[in-house]
Amino acid sequence: MRRGFRFWGLVPAWVLMAVTLLAPLVIVALVSVAKRGAYGGFEWDFTLAPYRDILFTAGWSDELEFDPKYVLIIGRTVLLALITTAICMALALPVAYVIATRGPRAKALLIYLVTLPFWVSMIVRVYAWLIILGNDGFGGRLWQFLGGEGSLLFTPTAMLIGMVYSYIPLMVLPVFAAIEKLDPALLEAGADLYASRWTTARRVIVPLAWPGLAAGAILVFVPALGTVLEPMLLGGGKQITMGTLIQTQFGSARNWPFGAAIALVLMALVMGVLIVNALRAAHKREAEA
């Protein structure tokens, strides 16, 4: 009786997950193997041409030739996401440590300030950076003062600044949660052993904060792979990423099957990262057992 109630009680949740999660994925997967329509959209005709077009292009004699342009876009996207994640890790660790070592009131205020950007629409925040990084903005003037050539806006640097700003709270919060559990006696022991602050940070704080850093890296890297606003607005669309490529294929290019194929490749990259992280965590648990 109890097992039957538990089963039927979960049916609404399963139905909701099937409608909101599985059904869209199935539709995208079906579109990715469909044929491009003559006037956009798609036609239900099974073909693997959208996936083939990621690596190859048809020459004048209809022979397939390797074309690396989309591979370069995928590589650029992964590299940009990795750089964003690395910068967020480097900046979040000291910020999280400062927050974790404050008093209760200061800690609550600082956490509120870290999460405050999430209360504002992403589009509004990115548009704000358009003003800040413009020639008349603080960032643009600082760039010129430091000897930067040309305008800072519509460059890979501006795009990277926007991505770090957008995703760094996702890194600060899990790192803060990990450092908050750190026993202050460990830091005192390091000082008693004449360890410098740098040695204490490298040998004590970073290893104990690593679970938070790993969790934050996943939270930053995954959305950074599919970012659209920063490359389009702050980068001026000059640096095409997988997110902007998908947006273009479903928009102006009207090539839905190819856009769906790129979306599934992006999803495969994300799933690969999550699987590797899950296997690493499972291996660590087995080693500790």
Side-chain angles (χ1 to χ4, degrees):
M1 181 70 179
R2 189 173 182 180
R3 182 176 299 178
F5 175 78
R6 187 179 301 174
F7 173 81
W8 290 109
L10 293 175
V11 169
W14 290 343
V15 172
L16 181 63
M17 292 178 62
V19 172
T20 59
L21 296 178
L22 294 181
L25 289 178
V26 171
I27 293 173
V28 172
L30 292 175
V31 172
S32 70
V33 294
K35 181 181 178 181
R36 181 182 182 181
Y39 303 100
F42 63 95
E43 298 176 359
W44 292 117
D45 186 9
F46 179 81
T47 176
L48 295 177
Y51 293 96
R52 181 201 64 195
D53 293 342
I54 297 176
L55 297 176
F56 301 97
T57 184
W60 291 101
S61 58
D62 292 334
E63 293 183 359
L64 295 179
E65 299 177 358
F66 177 70
D67 189 350
K69 61 182 178 182
Y70 295 118
V71 177
L72 293 177
I73 291 175
I74 295 174
R76 180 189 302 126
T77 303
V78 173
L79 179 61
L80 188 64
L82 287 174
I83 295 174
T84 301
T85 303
I87 295 175
C88 287
M89 291 177 72
L91 295 178
L93 187 60
V95 172
Y97 179 79
V98 170
I99 296 175
T101 54
R102 300 303 97 179
R105 292 186 178 180
K107 186 183 300 184
L109 176 61
L110 292 173
I111 287 295
Y112 169 77
L113 293 177
V114 169
T115 58
L116 185 62
F118 288 136
W119 296 30
V120 182
S121 171
M122 177 75 79
I123 297 179
V124 175
R125 286 184 279 156
V126 175
Y127 267 106
W129 277 103
L130 282 173
I131 300 174
I132 296 172
L133 300 179
N135 291 333
D136 296 329
F138 172 77
R141 292 183 181 275
L142 180 61
W143 173 260
Q144 295 172 3
F145 175 77
L146 295 176
E149 298 182 358
S151 175
L152 178 60
L153 201 58
F154 306 139
T155 63
T157 302
M159 182 170 59
L160 194 61
I161 291 173
M163 292 178 63
V164 170
Y165 166 78
S166 298
Y167 301 126
I168 194 170
L170 300 176
M171 181 71 72
V172 171
L173 295 179
V175 176
F176 160 75
I179 294 180
E180 192 179 27
K181 301 175 183 178
L182 191 150
D183 189 353
L186 297 176
L187 303 181
E188 296 176 1
D192 292 340
L193 295 173
Y194 303 102
S196 64
R197 292 185 177 182
W198 168 249
T199 302
T200 302
R202 182 170 56 88
R203 301 290 296 272
V204 179
I205 298 177
V206 172
L208 293 177
W210 182 250
L213 287 169
I218 296 296
L219 293 175
V220 171
F221 182 76
V222 170
L225 281 175
T227 184
V228 176
L229 289 177
E230 290 85 357
M232 290 294 293
L233 297 179
L234 299 179
K238 298 178 181 179
Q239 297 290 326
I240 300 177
T241 61
M242 294 184 71
T244 56
L245 179 61
I246 294 170
Q247 188 270 341
T248 301
Q249 295 302 317
F250 278 98
S252 58
R254 304 184 68 183
N255 191 351
W256 291 18
F258 185 70
I262 293 292
L264 286 182
V265 170
L266 176 60
M267 187 182 71
L269 289 174
V270 172
M271 292 300 298
V273 172
L274 296 178
I275 290 173
V276 169
N277 182 67
L279 292 176
R280 183 192 60 80
H283 180 72
K284 184 177 180 180
R285 286 195 298 268
E286 291 178 359
E288 292 176 351

